[in-house]
């Protein structure tokens, strides 16, 4: 990866107002001795605790990137672009957000290419504001010409993945360039309900995807209590 600084970088993404999952991941990060925490966006949307999650991310993350739900929460993305449940949740989120948190979301950058020798972006380095999904190996392979660093960390699909420029998938390859999807803290969609994040160890030139158990039942019950769509609660139990 040839990153200049030696450190353990935790990359978290797609928290989506899931305070239980965020708290569990941050607890794990302390055990992992992460030197820095990077958040790739979608702090809000879908989940019942948008303000609380923004507050924690603001306090604890060193780099924060804007996701499409963060943009949507301050009117930067039209409601029509979200699926029906996402739209209802977005309207709900807009009503909940405090002015200071709305302003925080408004000021987030779309991409960071200057920190740790890594490119950080929510969706895709090709055109960050188009919010394209890197869903397949082919999509990831097409991204390599669109960033100059040796690694590009993304979120957005809620499915963790490590794709190397030599075509290897989910197996970090020393000396290769990589697209790394950190997965989702607050709404995993790979069939595993546990929270997901990526840990990049520049000293040992290694990347791992780490899964963390949290009280899904508690977020499910808070989602229902907030009156958010039932599917947004159910999908957390299933990890879809
Ligand atoms: Zn998301």
């Amino acid at each position: 990866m040839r990153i200049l600084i030696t450190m353990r970088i935790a990359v978290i993404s797609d928290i989506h107002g899931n305070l239980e999952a965020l708290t569990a991941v941050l607890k794990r990060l302390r055990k992992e001795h992460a030197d820095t925490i990077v958040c790739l966006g979608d702090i809000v949307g879908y989940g019942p605790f948008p303000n609380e999650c923004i507050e924690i991310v603001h306090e604890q993350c060193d780099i924060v990137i804007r996701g499409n739900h963060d943009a949507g929460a301050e009117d930067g993305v039209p409601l029509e672009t979200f699926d029906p449940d996402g739209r209802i949740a977005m309207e709900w989120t807009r009503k909940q957000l405090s002015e200071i948190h709305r302003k925080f979301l408004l000021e987030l950058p779309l991409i960071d290419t200057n920190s740790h020798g890594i490119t950080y972006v929510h969706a895709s380095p090709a055109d960050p504001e188009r919010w394209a999904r890197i869903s397949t190996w082919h999509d990831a392979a097409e991204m390599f010409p669109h960033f100059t660093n040796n690694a590009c960390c993304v979120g957005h699909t809620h499915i963790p993945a490590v794709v190397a420029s030599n075509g290897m998938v989910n197996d970090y390859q020393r000396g290769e360039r990589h697209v790394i999807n950190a997965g989702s803290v607050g709404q995993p969609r790979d069939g595993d309900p546990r929270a997901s994040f990526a840990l990049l160890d520049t000293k040992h030139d290694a990347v791992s995807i780490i899964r963390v158990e949290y009280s899904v039942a508690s977020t499910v019950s808070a989602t229902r209590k907030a009156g958010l769509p039932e599917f947004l609660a159910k999908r957390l139990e299933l990890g879809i």
Side-chain angles (χ1 to χ4, degrees), residues 144-191:
F144 287 103
H146 293 283
F147 63 95
T148 53
N149 291 318
N150 286 319
C152 175
C153 292
V154 299
H156 196 41
T157 64
H158 299 207
I159 295 175
V162 178
V163 179
S165 47
N166 67 355
M168 291 298 285
V169 178
N170 290 334
D171 187 15
Y172 182 77
Q173 303 281 301
R174 288 200 175 157
E176 295 293 324
R177 299 174 69 225
H178 290 81
V179 172
I180 299 159
N181 192 315
S184 169
V185 168
Q187 194 195 78
R189 293 179 188 164
D190 61 342

Side-chain angles (χ1 to χ4, degrees), residues 91-170:
E91 284 176 317
W92 181 90
T93 302
R94 284 182 181 180
K95 284 187 205 138
Q96 307 300 313
L97 280 184
S98 70
E99 220 22 71
I100 192 159
H101 291 150
R102 196 188 311 278
K103 189 164 177 287
F104 175 77
L105 296 179
L106 183 69
E107 288 170 355
L108 294 177
L110 283 165
I111 188 164
D112 183 328
T113 58
N114 294 316
S115 305
H116 317 138
I118 297 172
T119 296
Y120 296 114
V121 65
H122 179 69
S124 149
D127 183 356
E129 211 161 12
R130 209 164 57 80
W131 312 113
R133 285 192 167 77
I134 304 177
S135 301
T136 62
W137 174 84
H138 185 72
D139 296 339
E142 285 192 337
M143 289 306 119
F144 287 103
H146 293 283
F147 63 95
T148 53
N149 291 318
N150 286 319
C152 175
C153 292
V154 299
H156 196 41
T157 64
H158 299 207
I159 295 175
V162 178
V163 179
S165 47
N166 67 355
M168 291 298 285
V169 178
N170 290 334

Side-chain angles (χ1 to χ4, degrees), residues 14 16 42 46 68-69 122 156 158 189:
D14 297 273
H16 286 295
D42 276 8
Y46 301 134
N68 53 315
H69 286 254
H122 179 69
H156 196 41
H158 299 207
R189 293 179 188 164

Side-chain angles (χ1 to χ4, degrees), residues 2-239:
R2 297 192 300 280
I3 294 164
L4 301 176
I5 313 155
T6 296
M7 60 195 326
R8 285 164 76 76
I9 304 163
V11 182
I12 65 174
S13 191
D14 297 273
I15 298 159
H16 286 295
N18 188 337
L19 182 62
E20 284 284 338
L22 177 61
T23 308
V25 164
L26 291 172
K27 196 172 160 197
R28 174 66 179 265
L29 290 184
R30 281 189 285 277
K31 279 194 194 148
E32 296 284 348
H33 304 292
D35 297 304
T36 185
I37 307 174
V38 178
C39 174
L40 298 182
D42 276 8
I43 307 166
V44 303
Y46 301 134
F49 297 108
N51 287 304
E52 292 82 349
C53 289
I54 292 173
E55 191 116 8
I56 292 175
V57 166
H58 180 39
E59 271 168 20
Q60 302 205 26
C61 297
D62 302 297
I63 296 169
V64 185
I65 302 295
R66 177 193 286 194
N68 53 315
H69 286 254
D70 306 321
E74 47 80 7
D75 224 1
V77 171
L79 280 176
E80 304 78 66
T81 60
F82 296 97
D83 63 59
D85 285 341
R87 200 175 307 159
I88 293 167
M90 187 51 68
E91 284 176 317
W92 181 90
T93 302
R94 284 182 181 180
K95 284 187 205 138
Q96 307 300 313
L97 280 184
S98 70
E99 220 22 71
I100 192 159
H101 291 150
R102 196 188 311 278
K103 189 164 177 287
F104 175 77
L105 296 179
L106 183 69
E107 288 170 355
L108 294 177
L110 283 165
I111 188 164
D112 183 328
T113 58
N114 294 316
S115 305
H116 317 138
I118 297 172
T119 296
Y120 296 114
V121 65
H122 179 69
S124 149
D127 183 356
E129 211 161 12
R130 209 164 57 80
W131 312 113
R133 285 192 167 77
I134 304 177
S135 301
T136 62
W137 174 84
H138 185 72
D139 296 339
E142 285 192 337
M143 289 306 119
F144 287 103
H146 293 283
F147 63 95
T148 53
N149 291 318
N150 286 319
C152 175
C153 292
V154 299
H156 196 41
T157 64
H158 299 207
I159 295 175
V162 178
V163 179
S165 47
N166 67 355
M168 291 298 285
V169 178
N170 290 334
D171 187 15
Y172 182 77
Q173 303 281 301
R174 288 200 175 157
E176 295 293 324
R177 299 174 69 225
H178 290 81
V179 172
I180 299 159
N181 192 315
S184 169
V185 168
Q187 194 195 78
R189 293 179 188 164
D190 61 342
D192 181 344
R194 293 176 300 167
S196 172
F197 71 93
L199 189 65
L200 285 63
D201 184 335
T202 67
K203 184 175 178 192
H204 300 101
D205 196 13
V207 173
S208 21
I209 300 291
I210 296 177
R211 305 304 288 253
V212 181
E213 304 249 12
Y214 74 97
S215 173
V216 174
S218 144
T219 302
V220 164
S221 114
T223 302
R224 287 181 180 140
K225 209 169 151 200
L228 288 159
E230 174 58 22
F231 178 62
L232 297 180
K234 201 72 200 155
R235 70 187 307 174
L236 295 175
E237 291 173 346
L238 304 170

